Amino acid sequence: MLGDSMSNLSKASRPRTLKQPSDKEGELLRQLEKQDQERKDTKRELDRERLIRVTAGVIDTITSPEFVERMRLAQLELQRGGGMEAAAKLLSLDALRQSGAEIPDDFRLTSRIFEDPANGLRVEYKSEVSSSNVDMQTAWGACAGAGGPLIGCGCSGWQV
Amino acid sequence: MYQHLNFGRIELESVMRAAYDQLIDFVTTQPFKTVMAEMNSLKPTKRPAFVASVLLNDEELSRRGVQRPSDILIQRSAFGDRRPTLFCVKKLLPEKYACVWKNVNITFDNEFEDSSVSRDADKAWRIPLPVHLQAMAMAEEKDLEQVLYT
């Protein structure tokens, strides 16, 4: 619409410069541009081929014999009463690399908890400041993943 | 065969691939993408509430045309490295593989600079924040590294 009305103006009557947006308009424009970018990012991130590629990389990394053996040992260690320190020792990126596992630079390996990890049942959420049933979050595990803001992960959980 | 285990790499890869493919089929449906676009149109501080009221609510998802298969879970979680994560779409692997890996998932994080979240073991292997506390902190635009929890 703006283009149409501008083309109808005679050359002489066209303003030499476009009016600068006010601070409020500028802020609004920046917000709209940001939202556009985020929508584009979502489209890119949820691209099937990209997700297949990212998850293939994760699978390749976390199924290597060295990685799997470290995961098995970490679980055994925890069954014997070892805590998160024991897991961290076995599953640090440095320790894995030293054992021969090939770990990409963007890889992350961390502790993680899920809400209700056993059944996937969700804790009722009443408000942003409500307290969930923290007892349902006593299981933690290892999570390995890569892929940027939207990541593919493999996880293993232990009860502690 | 892996040493000490009754399955091998090809089998584990195949099981994980099938699980990931199911997750990818789900998150690349147009209704799910539309929900993600709706979430991303919100300020990062508003996204935890959106996750709680929409992503964790099958009725709200259904109203938006998203039918969650019963064997795909949508859950919140928290990482030891304190990255600001929002939710994940997860599939449990068969029990046979739980001695090493229990599930695969696709995780959706809130905005963060990769360099701002450490990969060091002493940071990555901390006790994660309780999930509800993490959501509150994100809603209040707090740096999760500064949230005290013991």
Side-chain angles (χ1 to χ4, degrees):
Chain A
M1 290 299 286
L2 180 64
D4 291 343
S5 57
M6 287 293 282
S7 63
N8 291 335
L9 290 172
S10 69
K11 219 173 185 179
S13 65
R14 282 182 195 168
R16 286 189 181 177
T17 55
L18 289 173
K19 183 183 159 228
Q20 290 296 311
S22 67
D23 288 351
K24 200 173 172 185
E25 287 168 338
E27 177 60 26
L28 187 61
L29 281 172
R30 278 191 291 278
Q31 279 182 20
L32 289 172
E33 279 169 13
K34 192 174 175 211
Q35 285 174 10
D36 279 348
Q37 187 57 47
E38 285 174 350
R39 285 193 195 97
K40 282 178 196 163
D41 289 346
T42 301
K43 200 174 170 188
R44 179 183 63 81
E45 286 164 359
L46 292 176
D47 173 74
R48 170 180 290 275
E49 296 310 313
R50 177 182 175 272
L51 287 171
I52 289 172
R53 196 171 58 249
V54 167
T55 53
V58 171
I59 292 172
D60 189 49
T61 302
I62 69 177
T63 60
S64 77
E66 296 86 359
F67 210 131
V68 164
E69 177 61 6
R70 288 260 159 176
M71 289 299 296
R72 189 186 72 83
L73 290 173
Q75 294 220 31
L76 284 177
E77 193 62 43
L78 285 157
Q79 284 166 16
R80 292 187 193 120
M84 201 175 285
E85 279 180 24
K89 209 174 269 184
L90 282 161
L91 295 173
S92 73
L93 292 176
D94 286 345
L96 275 159
R97 286 187 175 116
Q98 281 166 21
S99 75
E102 284 187 26
I103 311 288
D105 288 342
D106 69 345
F107 209 76
R108 290 187 181 276
L109 185 55
T110 74
S111 50
R112 185 179 196 180
I113 54 170
F114 289 98
E115 279 185 308
D116 190 13
N119 304 310
L121 297 174
R122 269 101 49 176
V123 177
E124 187 182 357
Y125 187 94
K126 290 175 182 165
S127 77
E128 284 179 31
V129 292
S130 72
S131 176
S132 302
N133 183 347
V134 178
D135 287 339
M136 296 180 83
Q137 299 177 14
T138 53
W140 59 272
C143 183
L150 191 153
I151 59 173
C153 291
C155 288
S156 184
W158 303 295
Q159 301 290 331
V160 291
Chain B
M1 288 282 190
Y2 290 115
Q3 211 177 358
H4 310 298
L5 298 173
N6 63 348
F7 55 90
R9 184 173 190 173
I10 291 172
E11 180 180 334
L12 181 59
E13 281 179 340
S14 161
V15 167
M16 285 182 160
R17 182 71 268 157
Y20 267 132
D21 285 347
Q22 198 186 340
L23 294 177
I24 291 169
D25 283 346
F26 178 64
V27 302
T28 56
T29 56
Q30 194 51 53
F32 189 86
K33 284 184 179 181
T34 303
V35 170
M36 287 300 89
E38 185 181 354
M39 183 181 82
N40 288 335
S41 72
L42 301 172
K43 287 181 180 172
T45 52
K46 301 291 182 195
R47 292 174 193 168
F50 182 84
V51 168
S53 62
V54 177
L55 269 304
L56 303 187
N57 183 332
D58 282 342
E59 276 181 30
E60 282 296 322
L61 284 177
S62 185
R63 232 165 47 83
R64 290 164 169 80
V66 176
Q67 303 299 326
R68 181 181 64 83
S70 59
D71 58 345
I72 287 183
L73 309 172
I74 300 180
Q75 288 182 297
R76 296 189 303 177
S77 68
F79 292 102
D81 63 14
R82 301 279 196 275
R83 93 190 71 138
T85 192
L86 289 166
F87 74 97
C88 70
V89 179
K90 165 174 149 181
K91 184 161 169 67
L92 296 172
L93 299 178
E95 189 59 31
K96 178 180 181 181
Y97 310 102
C99 56
V100 284
W101 292 110
K102 282 200 169 177
N103 72 77
V104 294
N105 59 83
I106 294 174
T107 299
F108 296 76
D109 291 335
N110 221 339
E111 292 172 4
F112 71 97
E113 287 289 326
D114 187 71
S115 60
S116 70
V117 176
S118 175
R119 287 182 166 80
D120 293 345
D122 62 332
K123 299 276 188 189
W125 285 92
R126 288 174 290 181
I127 302 279
L129 293 173
V131 171
H132 71 283
L133 184 61
Q134 174 185 256
M136 278 170 53
M138 282 193 283
E140 292 171 11
E141 213 170 359
K142 287 192 173 141
D143 178 356
L144 296 183
E145 279 292 341
Q146 305 303 320
V147 176
L148 296 177
Y149 178 73
T150 53

